[in-house]
Amino acid sequence: MATKARLNGFQIWNMCFGFFGIQIGFGLQNANTSRIFQGLGVQVDHLAILWIAAPATGLLVQPVIGYLSDKTWGRLGRRRPYFFWGAILTSAALLVMPNAPVLWIAAAALWVMDASINITMEPFRAFVGDNLPDEQRASGYAMQSFFIGTGAVLASALPWILTNGFSVSNVADGGGVPPSVHIAFYAGAAGLLLSVLWTVFTTREYSPEQLAAFEATERARKGEAPVVAADAPTRPVRAYLAGGLAWTLAGLLLAAAILATRLEKELYVLAAMVGLFGVAQLVAGLLRRADRTANGFSEVVEDLFRMPATMTQLAVVQFFSWFGLFAMWIYTTPAVAAFHYHAVDTSSRAYNDGADWVGVLFAIYNGVAALAALVIPPLARAVGRKACHALCLCLGALGLAAIPLIREPGLLWIPMIGVGFAWSSILSAPYSILSGALPAGKMGVYMGIFNFFIVIPQLLAATLLGLLLRTFFGGEAIWALALGAAGMLAAAACVFRVRDVGEPRASRAEVRSPEALSKA
């Protein structure tokens, strides 16, 4: 019977190495976007809304790219064409962003950069599911986490390294983006492109026909079809139209309430999210009634409502996890600069020293994440994947909560240990649990839909965090990190509601055996 070949360590290395470059771009974006925006004159309580480009782009791009990559087969294969073109576009955006003369160009560059990263990154998740047999998928996602960590270490620390190791100035004459950030972005563009091209040209892919044969073999081995969304009944037209009308009206009413009460304009983004979800359902219902469902839009919306139960439960965990992460990425630079370095003037030496130190802190948590990727798989086998993920999320929550309690900047590396474990687990555990519940023919589109539950909390963070800080915390960015810690704790609690269909049910003695370990 047709089965996937086991890959050796070097083959898995090649397959995942492109993530090293992707994370260089992502790490430079995370550690320096607020710094660039503030250098162009943006106030701290307006940072969150400018970051909205990243999650909004992912919300639109990832399911589309997932759907298209499921249907693609050509000279470069199924997923690799998206790696190739996404890397080229991301590298171009990295060259533009630090040179933006005005805010709107920087914001546009961020939008292009994140769209391009999503084009490259989304198929990488499906790539592991496509190419590896079930027993090696955990290793594949752990290898991705390792490269994500090492790439982000380099990207996050690069401005600090340039300043302290090569005497490149971290202060721009007359304000703006300093030379150290410029050079870091140029080096990052080259590193991203080269590493992704390495994966493109050193790996091969199974054809759609081979993947279908592998899935048929797996179903036969199990003796029954797995519980997947594709086997669920289609959603009735009436449900689409009723749900679409309700969500559209809710969005309109929310927008009217914001206008009437003169609340912050950022909240219109929340109203738009609600309304557009309703509009999407209305369009899908009308297309279904007209029997015009042979299109990507209808398939993505239908699959959204037919998610496996495991995916629905994981969505809640992802929601709270990524709310906490986004709070950290947006506000750590202004929080540390103001709270620990007592600086809010972005042109001052103290502010830029604080911003450089945040880059080092981000490098530390990503370095910890790379090492944690080696520790988490055996820990998960010992205590279970859910308990292991919950533990890592609790460590992340403790790390974020500790930052306002530590007054000495030089000690802030300690909380980053907990954040690193959480980050490593967030990048691997949900996908390891999820991949066993998805059909091979829809791996790409479902990985794209799963991204909804990463970007929606980021959109909420972008719309609500600025308002919460101004209303309840006097505009002090440090308290956004406390809110992020609360999100991590909520995610940890929700992990135990997830049904892990691939979790080994062997006894403790059996778990130690090679046969049980291979099933894990």
Side-chain angles (χ1 to χ4, degrees):
M1 292 190 292
T3 57
K4 294 178 183 177
R6 288 180 60 88
L7 301 186
N8 61 41
F10 187 64
Q11 289 170 315
I12 296 175
W13 174 283
N14 287 340
M15 186 176 67
C16 297
F17 185 64
F19 241 117
F20 176 75
I22 294 172
Q23 195 59 34
I24 289 176
F26 199 51
L28 285 169
Q29 172 186 300
N30 286 343
N32 295 283
T33 294
S34 290
R35 183 179 190 174
I36 291 171
F37 283 161
Q38 285 192 288
L40 293 171
V42 177
Q43 298 300 310
V44 66
D45 56 359
H46 291 148
L47 284 173
I49 194 62
L50 288 170
W51 273 75
I52 201 171
T57 304
L59 187 66
L60 297 172
V61 170
Q62 287 219 15
V64 173
I65 295 300
Y67 171 81
L68 292 175
S69 68
D70 282 341
K71 309 294 183 183
T72 295
W73 184 252
R75 189 160 57 96
L76 281 178
R78 191 183 198 189
R79 315 292 182 188
R80 288 177 296 154
Y82 300 91
F83 305 164
F84 180 82
W85 292 109
I88 291 174
L89 292 171
T90 306
S91 298
L94 284 168
L95 297 177
V96 171
M97 190 167 181
N99 292 294
V102 292
L103 178 60
W104 73 266
I105 293 179
L110 175 63
W111 197 292
V112 172
M113 186 189 307
D114 207 81
S116 305
I117 289 175
N118 278 292
I119 290 170
T120 308
M121 182 170 61
E122 195 284 329
F124 257 106
R125 295 295 190 190
F127 197 46
V128 169
D130 288 345
N131 285 12
L132 292 177
D134 286 345
E135 65 271 18
Q136 286 193 300
R137 283 177 177 170
S139 297
Y141 288 119
M143 184 68 77
Q144 282 192 353
S145 294
F146 173 78
F147 279 125
I148 287 170
T150 53
V153 167
L154 175 62
S156 299
L158 197 50
W160 183 89
I161 292 170
L162 290 168
T163 296
N164 293 274
F166 298 92
S167 300
V168 178
S169 176
N170 69 347
V171 178
D173 294 335
V177 181
S180 59
V181 174
H182 278 272
I183 296 174
F185 272 66
Y186 302 155
L192 183 148
L193 184 61
L194 291 173
S195 61
V196 172
L197 291 181
W198 178 274
T199 289
V200 169
F201 293 115
T202 61
T203 56
R204 295 293 180 265
E205 298 184 71
Y206 291 115
S207 70
E209 293 77 19
Q210 288 174 306
L211 289 173
F214 296 148
E215 185 173 12
T217 298
E218 183 64 17
R219 291 187 180 214
R221 186 185 68 80
K222 292 180 179 178
E224 60 179 2
V227 179
V228 296
D231 298 328
T234 58
R235 194 169 191 238
V237 173
R238 180 179 298 178
Y240 272 123
L241 297 179
L245 182 61
W247 281 89
T248 303
L249 288 176
L252 292 173
L253 290 173
L254 180 57
I258 295 168
L259 178 63
T261 55
R262 298 182 180 179
L263 292 174
E264 279 75 0
K265 60 183 180 297
E266 290 89 343
L267 294 177
Y268 284 114
V269 176
L270 179 60
M273 290 168 54
V274 172
L276 288 174
F277 181 55
V279 171
Q281 292 184 69
L282 288 174
V283 173
L286 293 173
L287 288 172
R288 169 64 59 78
R289 189 162 65 182
D291 198 24
R292 297 172 57 187
T293 58
N295 59 80
F297 174 82
S298 293
E299 185 172 336
V300 169
V301 175
E302 185 68 33
D303 287 337
L304 175 63
F305 285 97
R306 296 192 296 174
M307 293 188 301
T310 296
M311 185 171 172
T312 303
Q313 294 154 359
L314 281 170
V316 181
V317 178
Q318 292 290 83
F319 177 90
F320 289 113
S321 301
W322 284 86
F323 184 91
L325 288 172
F326 210 57
M328 179 184 71
W329 289 333
I330 295 174
Y331 286 106
T332 301
T333 294
V336 169
F339 190 79
H340 297 90
Y341 285 80
H342 313 291
V344 293
D345 180 2
T346 60
S347 64
S348 67
R349 172 71 65 179
Y351 176 91
N352 284 284
D353 286 344
D356 281 351
W357 184 234
V358 169
V360 175
L361 295 177
F362 279 22
I364 290 170
Y365 90 70
N366 280 290
V368 171
L371 297 176
L374 307 176
V375 175
I376 288 174
L379 179 61
R381 287 194 293 270
V383 303
R385 288 189 291 201
K386 294 193 298 184
C388 179
H389 189 41
L391 174 62
C392 291
L393 289 171
C394 287
L395 291 175
L398 289 174
L400 290 179
I403 293 175
L405 303 177
I406 296 175
R407 310 295 299 195
E408 172 55 46
L411 297 178
L412 289 177
W413 63 270
I414 298 173
M416 293 298 106
I417 297 172
V419 173
F421 269 87
W423 177 231
S424 185
S425 190
I426 288 168
L427 292 172
S428 58
Y431 298 97
S432 179
I433 294 170
L434 177 65
S435 60
L438 300 181
K442 288 184 176 289
M443 188 72 71
V445 70
Y446 268 119
M447 287 295 181
I449 290 173
F450 196 51
N451 188 61
F452 286 170
F453 309 105
I454 294 174
V455 300
I456 289 173
Q458 294 180 44
L459 287 168
L460 287 175
T463 57
L464 294 177
L465 279 175
L467 173 64
L468 292 175
L469 291 181
R470 288 192 298 272
T471 304
F472 300 106
F473 301 103
E476 296 183 30
I478 193 71
W479 297 110
L481 304 183
L483 294 175
M488 291 275 192
L489 280 178
C494 292
V495 167
F496 294 102
R497 297 185 65 253
V498 176
R499 180 174 177 264
D500 184 356
V501 296
E503 184 75 74
R505 300 182 183 278
S507 67
R508 187 176 298 273
E510 291 173 319
V511 166
R512 294 194 185 98
S513 71
E515 293 80 10
L517 288 175
S518 69
K519 293 177 183 177

